[in-house]
Amino acid sequence: MSFTAAWLEMREPYDRRARNPAVIDALVAALSDRPSVTIADLACGTGSTFRALRPRIKARQIWRLVDNDLSLLARAPQSSPPDVIAATIPIDLSRDLEAALDGPVDLVTTSALLDLVSDEWLQRLVVEIATRRLPLYAALSYDGRVEMTPADVADQKVIAAFNAHQRTDKGFGRALGPGAAQTAVERFERVGYTLVQGASDWVFAPQDREIQLEVLSGWAAAARDLGEVPLGDVVGWLTRRRDLVAAGRSSIRVGHVDFFAQPTGTR
Ligand SMILES: C[S@@+](CC[C@H](N)C(=O)[O-])C[C@H]1O[C@@H](n2cnc3c(N)ncnc32)[C@H](O)[C@@H]1O
């Protein structure tokens, strides 16, 4: 599955606003007494998590920016020595997760990845992180909640189809989709981690037309691909929704979850 730089750029301001502040505070507190921290950002895209966390972490930072998309990595942040060193690392995480975590790492971060991965891959991630006793900041996992105002008669069936599509293979095997964050939280608790979690919903106001149109098109495409909702219903729904956006009458909330997991007994 590929993500364009244009899409990541469009969503980044909404992601930035949505990131749960209590979860970031917990991460910042956990790192507060370190002079230097090495961070492995898994599926970094163009570096959204780097840009969100860099100003919050006071320690000297060494970022390992990992992704398998070379065109996204080419847009990732550069080092600004002496306080920040950033290196891009092209790795297919579905195959070589372990390589991404090898060497000295103090913190693992990721955003908008967990809902794409399979149960098996998530278990691998938990094992690799817990074995190394590393903390994990996982932001912006889609959790299946969508509220659209005003409501449309076909909202529920289109979103149900989209959520089912989110559970299809995104390159890591059958994806956990909307259940991913909850499953990850339970797995980390089971291996003795302490969790801080909270909502990080996208909130699109009527003037946020461009991103509303983009997500509505994406949901319609997913529903169409799945083929369970009649095509005419999907097209009618998308047309009505687009008309509301154009008229400045559409608001949308999209549910996401952030969490920070750290081995119990560390701060
Ligand atoms: C939704 S984007 C999120 C990007 C970034 N974390 C952000 O929040 O903007 C998902 C990212 O996962 C990366 N990705 C997908 N499959 C991957 C794989 N098998 N190995 C490494 N990265 C992968 C994509 O290239 C993309 O950058």
Side-chain angles (χ1 to χ4, degrees), residues 1-3 7-8 11-12 15 19 41-49 51 66-69 72 91-95 110-113 116 140 170-172:
M1 175 159 200
S2 70
F3 296 85
W7 163 241
L8 297 185
R11 62 174 286 175
E12 186 165 338
D15 285 344
R19 285 176 190 268
D41 186 30
L42 306 182
C44 63
T46 65
S48 174
T49 294
R51 285 182 286 278
V66 179
D67 206 283
N68 69 340
D69 186 323
L72 297 179
I91 284 181
D92 177 353
L93 287 166
S94 68
R95 209 185 50 200
T110 193
S111 55
L113 173 72
L116 305 178
L140 297 156
K170 311 291 183 202
F172 293 81

Side-chain angles (χ1 to χ4, degrees), residues 212-236:
Q212 288 204 32
L213 292 174
E214 192 66 27
V215 299
L216 291 168
S217 300
W219 294 342
R224 195 194 54 218
D225 279 1
L226 211 64
E228 284 170 9
V229 181
L231 185 58
D233 290 2
V234 177
V235 171

Side-chain angles (χ1 to χ4, degrees), residues 176-252:
L176 283 161
Q182 189 52 38
T183 304
V185 163
E186 288 165 12
R187 294 263 166 85
F188 277 106
E189 283 174 344
R190 223 177 290 155
V191 293
Y193 270 53
T194 302
L195 276 288
V196 176
Q197 57 180 314
S200 53
D201 297 355
W202 280 342
V203 179
F204 302 146
Q207 67 271 20
D208 300 321
R209 289 188 172 85
E210 192 184 17
I211 193 151
Q212 288 204 32
L213 292 174
E214 192 66 27
V215 299
L216 291 168
S217 300
W219 294 342
R224 195 194 54 218
D225 279 1
L226 211 64
E228 284 170 9
V229 181
L231 185 58
D233 290 2
V234 177
V235 171
W237 173 84
L238 185 57
T239 304
R240 293 190 298 278
R241 281 265 153 235
R242 281 179 170 159
D243 288 347
L244 288 167
V245 174
R249 294 185 50 220
S250 171
S251 301
I252 304 180

Side-chain angles (χ1 to χ4, degrees), residues 23-63:
V23 175
I24 294 185
D25 286 349
L27 175 162
V28 169
L31 300 177
S32 63
D33 53 2
R34 289 174 187 256
S36 165
V37 54
T38 299
I39 302 163
D41 186 30
L42 306 182
C44 63
T46 65
S48 174
T49 294
F50 171 98
R51 285 182 286 278
L53 294 186
R54 183 198 154 160
R56 293 297 314 276
I57 300 173
K58 297 302 166 222
R60 179 169 179 270
Q61 299 167 38
I62 301 163
W63 283 82

